[in-house]
Amino acid sequence: MALGRIRRHSIDILFPLAVLLVFGASSVMAILLAANIYGGSVKSSGQMYNGATALAYVQEKLHQNDSEGAVRLEQYDEIPVLVMEQRYQDQRYCTYIYAWEGSLRELFANQDLEFDPSAGRKLLNMEAFSCRWLGDGLLEIRCTDEEGTVSTACVGLLSAEV
């Protein structure tokens, strides 16, 4: 039995090539979309991390120093500062928490020393930090990150001086 001659058309090559091209383009688009979603998630979680971590840190410091007259709010050269006073071996020390030059900072120093914002230890990237008394020992803490996202928390102090 003799086989007949098979005739080839250009569609025999173009159709599989077109299917392969559509598959490749779809794969690239899916990868780009997934990368964009992942990048947004990373950015969002980083912002939430900074705000939540800053608030948790300040809240813990406030609870550690919750004693009569130990917590106060002050201004140093336009910088709002949360001041927590402690006594160690008959000397008074202050813990200062504030935002300066794009960072949330903490400075632990003898009360007799002059406040120097550049001496504070950098904790997190943060553009602004402020606190205000809401009354009845309730303190509102506000942190603003580099993107402008504001995180807020309220802390109740048992022995607050308002």
Side-chain angles (χ1 to χ4, degrees):
M1 224 168 143
L3 292 175
R5 187 168 179 215
I6 299 175
R7 198 164 170 220
R8 294 202 156 230
H9 292 294
S10 59
I11 194 74
D12 292 339
I13 294 173
L14 290 179
F15 182 72
L17 191 59
V19 169
L20 184 62
L21 188 63
V22 168
F23 177 73
S26 298
S27 298
V28 168
M29 286 177 33
I31 290 170
L32 290 175
L33 182 61
N36 189 26
I37 291 171
Y38 177 75
S41 298
V42 168
K43 182 179 179 183
S44 175
S45 68
Q47 288 172 346
M48 288 182 358
Y49 170 80
N50 271 357
T53 303
L55 292 176
Y57 182 81
V58 173
Q59 288 175 16
E60 184 59 31
K61 282 291 191 177
L62 284 165
H63 289 302
Q64 289 173 356
N65 293 288
D66 190 5
S67 61
E68 192 68 37
V71 178
R72 64 182 185 272
L73 305 177
E74 296 183 0
Q75 288 275 123
Y76 292 98
D77 298 325
E78 306 289 322
I79 303 170
V81 180
L82 173 64
V83 182
M84 293 164 283
E85 197 173 298
Q86 304 95 23
R87 182 180 289 276
Y88 294 107
Q89 299 176 353
D90 295 328
Q91 294 215 3
R92 290 179 130 3
Y93 293 90
C94 290
T95 300
Y96 303 92
I97 297 181
Y98 55 97
W100 191 69
E101 291 190 345
S103 310
L104 182 66
R105 295 178 180 237
E106 178 183 40
L107 174 63
F108 181 77
N110 190 303
Q111 186 181 20
D112 298 331
L113 296 176
E114 188 173 324
F115 174 75
D116 177 13
S118 66
R121 181 178 53 128
K122 292 180 183 180
L123 301 174
L124 291 165
N125 292 335
M126 198 65 52
E127 283 303 312
F129 171 81
S130 64
C131 296
R132 69 181 176 120
W133 290 109
L134 299 176
D136 296 327
L138 195 59
L139 183 67
E140 179 186 62
I141 307 164
R142 219 172 188 145
C143 297
T144 306
D145 67 13
E146 323 68 32
E147 302 292 322
T149 304
V150 177
S151 302
T152 306
C154 292
V155 180
L157 299 176
L158 299 175
S159 56
E161 242 182 55
V162 183

